Amino acid sequence: MNANSVDSLLSGVDTERLPSHPGYLAHWGSHLEAGVREQIARVDAVPEIARTFNYPFPVNYVLMLTPRGRPTDDTVRAIRHQSTPLNDADQAFRRYCEELAAGHGLGERPELAEALRGWRAVHESGANLDAVRFVEIASREIAEGIRGFPGWDAHLAAHAPALRAAFVELPESFVRVRRINVFRPYEDSERVLAGLARVLAARSDRRADVTRIEVAKHSAVFAEPGLTPTFPTLIVYLDTTADLCTWWRLLVPLLMASPATEVEEEYARRLGPGVTYTEGFRLYKRYLAAIGLLDAVYDPEVGYASAVAA
């Protein structure tokens, strides 16, 4: 996408709704394909969205909507800051696995070698979201390859307690981030989003409850009209003080008008057809499960939907 098309997309947008840092605006030129551009324009055409949120900002697989009055730059920086400890722990664990594999002569296990190469390539590219699939393979291969391996939790507790702590002692703002996940065909999710924006425009007492909303890029979730994807098409992030029951009551009328297909989501609590509630991120939980630490952070009594009591 060239600079002219970026300028045309942002033409007429209140500059107060745009990121202030030049580096964030430059993001548009290198990451915005035509389909996402059309989706952004369609989402922002809802008057209540323009009045209530900053301009949709593309990041990874979603368009992020942050409340007006909270600069998008600050939200993006906060997300990156919260993710940094896990990314650092992930890189340290990869190096640990490489040393463990070499020390136990596991170089002849082809799946392990391939997983370690892929894992390293992810780190070199900076695409940390893709690491978990290699972690799952490598951790399994090492556990199977070392005679008498006691399991990752016991192994790390005995041999690398600082590394174990790096995974289970992450910031509360990351571990307990609260999300309502809506699974709908994308055309219906946009109707739900428009309705939600109208609710927030009318209910100023509820605006502080929402820290951000993420709308899945249609191209990223391979969404097709009329089909419910397995990735949430709409995610509402709630503040720590927001009352979940109140928000469910607000959402029900919006969701009732939209057809839903049941979705089996790991590590989540079902609120209704095609709607779940979670604390934390699914990829982080998958990572913890791969190395035997899921029970140390999230509560098995609720299907790991919520973090264990502090």
Side-chain angles (χ1 to χ4, degrees), residues 145-182:
I146 298 177
R147 185 185 298 274
F149 192 79
W152 277 106
D153 190 0
H155 174 87
L156 291 173
H159 300 284
L163 184 54
R164 182 187 185 278
F167 284 108
V168 302
E169 297 176 7
L170 293 173
E172 290 283 294
S173 58
F174 180 86
V175 171
R176 296 180 182 273
V177 63
R178 306 174 69 205
R179 305 164 18 132
I180 296 175
N181 311 290
V182 178

Side-chain angles (χ1 to χ4, degrees), residues 12-18 40-56 65-69 193-194 196-198 200-201 207:
V13 176
D14 184 347
T15 56
E16 291 185 359
R17 298 180 60 221
L18 296 175
I40 287 174
R42 190 166 59 250
V43 166
D44 203 59
V46 177
E48 290 82 1
I49 288 179
R51 289 202 299 269
T52 311
F53 293 97
N54 294 321
Y55 199 71
L65 293 168
T66 56
R68 294 194 69 161
L193 173 63
L196 177 57
R198 294 183 186 105
L200 290 171
R207 289 179 205 163

Side-chain angles (χ1 to χ4, degrees), residues 200-309:
L200 290 171
R203 294 285 304 270
S204 59
D205 59 320
R206 298 269 65 94
R207 289 179 205 163
D209 289 348
V210 177
T211 60
R212 71 181 185 271
I213 294 175
E214 291 179 351
V215 186
K217 292 179 184 176
H218 300 161
S219 56
V221 297
F222 305 106
E224 298 179 25
L227 297 181
T228 300
T230 57
F231 184 89
T233 44
L234 189 67
I235 304 173
V236 181
Y237 286 78
L238 296 179
D239 183 75
T240 55
T241 60
D243 181 68
L244 181 60
C245 292
T246 297
W247 269 94
W248 180 235
R249 288 194 295 270
L250 290 173
L251 284 170
V252 164
L254 308 178
L255 297 167
M256 289 290 286
S258 174
T261 301
E262 287 290 0
V263 174
E264 293 293 330
E265 186 185 14
E266 288 182 304
Y267 317 128
R269 168 185 165 191
R270 180 186 180 277
L271 294 181
V275 186
T276 65
Y277 170 77
T278 56
E279 288 182 9
F281 297 95
R282 180 167 54 177
L283 285 177
Y284 173 48
K285 295 177 184 182
R286 277 180 59 189
Y287 202 121
L288 293 175
I291 57 176
L293 297 178
L294 185 59
D295 286 49
V297 182
Y298 292 96
D299 188 352
E301 295 297 320
V302 293
Y304 304 105
S306 301
V308 295

